[in-house]
Amino acid sequence: MAAVKKAGPRTGLKLGPEYKRAGHVLLHAPSPHKLFGRVPIRHVVLMQMRFDGRLGFPGGFIDPKDGSLEEGLNRELTEELGPGATAAYVTENDYISSWVMENPQKIEGHFYAKQMSLEDLEHLEEGALHAKDHGLEVMGLVRVPLYTLRDGIGGLPAFLCNNFIGKAKEQLLEALGCLGLMPQNKLEEAVWASQK
Ligand code: AMP
Ligand code: MN
């Protein structure tokens, strides 16, 4: 699977009718809280446990009936996250990067990141249990730990050892870096610790 990296507003990669289109989004909010009173949470970053037992981002296939990529993704967000999803709706300006899959099916995927207020994000989490897809395509939302504990593996390194769908792990790391959600050296240390 090839990653197509871009920065700035989406310019509309569209490979052709034989490619199904997909869109997914990383939702995040700044957090003032500290774990055990000393470990900064920094940001709440949301992923989800999927129906297939892998971690991924909210989103899914865009329907040809959807007016645009973003409209399709926002429709998916309401299905997967419920009523609080309106505060998570993306625009072209939230676009991060794209990927292409050739086998077993042709898919072009588009990845977005959207900052929310902590209040809106927590409201979304509360409502997610009432989403249409809850317990079906979505087994639950999870927060990504953005710290490494004193043992050197607990936190983000251990989280990165999970099983991720497609390019989701690379997308998570890309977004944490380019959005500045944690210090670059701590991010690199966590990736390194997760590979040991
Ligand atoms: P979904 O409906 O959310 O499962 O996503 C539509 C398609 O995109 C499925 O074929 C997934 O396997 C694939 N997919 C989902 N998330 C990612 C991702 N982060 N990177 C690459 N492929 C993905
Ligand atoms: Mn989905």
Side-chain angles (χ1 to χ4, degrees):
M1 193 188 301
V4 183
K5 203 164 168 2
K6 253 197 85 281
R10 180 176 67 79
T11 52
L13 172 72
K14 196 164 185 187
L15 295 176
E18 67 278 27
Y19 286 81
K20 281 174 90 172
R21 307 179 94 198
H24 294 89
V25 63
L26 176 152
L27 301 172
H28 61 102
S31 169
H33 299 297
K34 288 190 174 177
L35 174 68
F36 310 136
R38 64 175 168 81
V39 183
I41 297 292
R42 302 188 225 270
H43 297 267
V44 176
V45 171
L46 288 187
M47 293 193 77
Q48 65 190 22
M49 178 54 71
R50 298 159 45 91
F51 61 93
D52 56 12
R54 301 184 180 94
L55 288 166
F57 293 103
F61 283 120
I62 309 303
D63 197 296
K65 286 192 299 239
D66 293 317
S68 68
L69 200 41
E70 290 77 18
E71 267 180 50
L73 172 50
N74 293 336
R75 174 188 50 73
E76 280 285 335
L77 294 183
T78 296
E79 290 174 14
E80 294 192 350
L81 304 176
T86 48
Y89 279 2
V90 302
T91 71
E92 287 193 16
N93 291 326
D94 302 314
Y95 170 74
I96 302 261
S97 60
S98 297
W99 51 269
V100 179
M101 184 167 88
E102 301 291 342
N103 288 301
Q105 47 176 340
K106 290 186 190 304
I107 307 174
E108 56 163 87
H110 304 276
F111 179 57
Y112 296 73
K114 161 97 176 182
Q115 175 161 1
M116 302 172 67
S117 69
L118 186 56
E119 192 186 359
D120 282 348
L121 189 145
E122 289 183 338
H123 175 72
L124 179 149
E125 286 179 317
E126 282 166 30
L129 297 178
H130 305 288
K132 175 175 155 276
D133 287 347
H134 177 74
L136 299 169
E137 286 185 39
V138 184
M139 307 304 272
L141 292 178
V142 296
R143 293 183 177 200
V144 181
L146 299 189
Y147 45 78
T148 301
L149 297 176
R150 284 172 179 159
D151 66 1
I153 184 76
L156 184 56
F159 185 87
L160 294 174
C161 295
N162 277 296
N163 206 317
F164 293 82
I165 184 73
K167 288 242 159 275
K169 182 162 122 178
E170 291 82 353
Q171 288 163 340
L172 171 66
L173 295 172
E174 175 187 26
L176 292 180
C178 78
L179 300 173
L181 298 183
M182 59 186 292
Q184 193 64 36
N185 65 324
K186 301 243 185 242
L187 181 57
E188 282 165 18
E189 278 166 27
V191 171
W192 197 71
S194 74
Q195 290 163 347
K196 273 200 280 191

